[in-house]
Amino acid sequence: MTVVAPDRRRSRNLKHGAGSTPAEEGLSTRSWDDRPAHLTSGLEPDVALECGWGRILFGQTFASHEDLLEVLSAEEPGRRDICLYVREPHVAVSKAPQELFIDPSHTYRLWLHQHQPPRDPPRAVIVRDLRSESDADAVNRIYTAAGMLTAPTEVLWANQRTATFTYLVAEDAETGEVIGTVTGIDHRHAFHDPEDGTSLWCLAVDPQTTRPGVGVALVQALAGRFQARGRAFLDLSVVHDNEAAIALYEKLGFVRVPVYSVKRKNPINERLFSASPAEGIDDLNVYARIVADEALRRGVTVEVLDAEGGYLKLSHGGRSVVTRESLSELTTAVAMSRCDDKRVTRRVLEGAGLRLPRGRVVDHSGDDVAFLEELGEVVVKPARGEQGQGITVGVSSAEELTEAIALAERYGTVVLLEEVVTGDDLRVLVIGGEVVAAAVRCPATVRGTGRHTVEQLVHATARRREAATHGESTIPLDDMTVRCVEDQGHAMDEVLDEGEALVVRRTANLHTGGTIHDVTARLHPTLEEACRAAASALEIPVVGLDLLVPDVTGEDHVFIEANERPGLANHEPQPTAERFVDLLFPGTRSLPRGWEPGVVGADHVAELPDAGTGA
């Protein structure tokens, strides 16, 4: 088949889908066979243009799919890279199916030799070049209003001063306000394109403007600019279901061409590659939702079995796993029972040679008091339970011991006494035998204003914690809070001095107002090894291990307990949900290329959402 450049003097069309495409097929539309040497010999290799919100990669400039994947894998957090004109896109995606996807957008082309200037341009709208950094600020304002990712002003302004980029803005002739923008790229200047192509990006119109036809005016003005340069065609990409925009583009003379783009599977693109959100997903708590979101991002089907309980059914590749937050069917009943009963936890960890505080089971004999007298101070807690319920820290008298045991027995018939060990409350998350996250948990604390009582401060802080955690954390105003305050020489009706910090709970449990601070990067290797050993001894695939340590960068530690259903969301930005889904569905694991989740934004392909108004 002979390949020639498009004839700008005449149009010979073949029917193609909803529109038509010229018979001459050049480099940008030949994605199914080897690229013709006479069209590729002069190309600039591996072209990725920086746009501020991400990069545009020109697929025809990459010699191999591996080269393309390497560049795409360098996408930065919070940005979106787009690769257009990918040769054999299905093959490219097969190289990294958990990282890449074929964008469900159509490419439309306007053959510029057919372009005619508008007969009736919109009144009171002036389309002009972007002239200053203040214009670039206005462009970002429109991007934000349109739900798109913004770009640094300096990047927009630097690009505008090159021959490769053309930024146009639409100005309201009466107010002087910028009300629309479009970006054009000249492929000849970008990579020595032998086809003399161009492309249109980031078309956006201020949703508040009342001027009709702004989007159309921008498209036609950009086409006119490139036509004057002698370029052959103008391409744009539009989401397949944007019917209004497609209808308008076809009205303007654009036709479909077999050009495809590839993007990375990141949160910004999630709506383009993941299944529709499961019914009830918005009713999940944060600990189940983080799992559901990560599963959807991987292409795993999510069925919400019980939103209130956090139960999900995840399915992929012919197998299904039921989860409850971070607890899954991979955790056996035996492993769960070892964590559920703190007596068993102690025995298992002691048997593995790990360090624990001294302890005993309450038997209501004189030995309980003798144990207290020997140590001077103890922790009293039910052998079974969670979220810090029934725990009393710092019991130092026989009377307090009786009260603390009675409290613990409200939550379980078996009660433990343990040695009080000073240090930071450390939670280490182990998934699949590897330490994924570590955080120091601090007890609920209020800070004085010089005007409010301790009780008022507790109420205010509790409301803020509850709002910030969607009801998962609060500070109970109970006897334990009162006692904690009084033990430090304060009273609930006392006005706390401005700036003075006061701990109001003895335990650092997150459900009772504690806060969590990531220390993963600082964790001593000895602590990591001890936690891996503990998870192995418990024979549990996912576990949150609680330790007391004088310093997370040191070796000293004791294990306190193990949690078979640790909250993954508490350890962000560590990749807890990613590692959990890796464990459940290893085949969906992304290649280790170091990309991270970023800020969710909107598509950057050119769209006209409302053909009636030209927006």
Side-chain angles (χ1 to χ4, degrees), residues 3-15:
V3 181
V4 297
D7 187 344
R8 298 190 182 93
R9 294 169 300 173
R10 66 187 190 277
S11 173
R12 294 182 296 170
N13 295 337
L14 295 176
K15 290 294 182 182

Side-chain angles (χ1 to χ4, degrees), residues 469-485:
T469 61
H470 305 285
E472 294 293 330
S473 176
T474 188
I475 305 176
L477 193 58
D478 56 14
D479 291 343
M480 295 183 70
T481 299
V482 173
R483 179 183 167 187
C484 183
V485 171

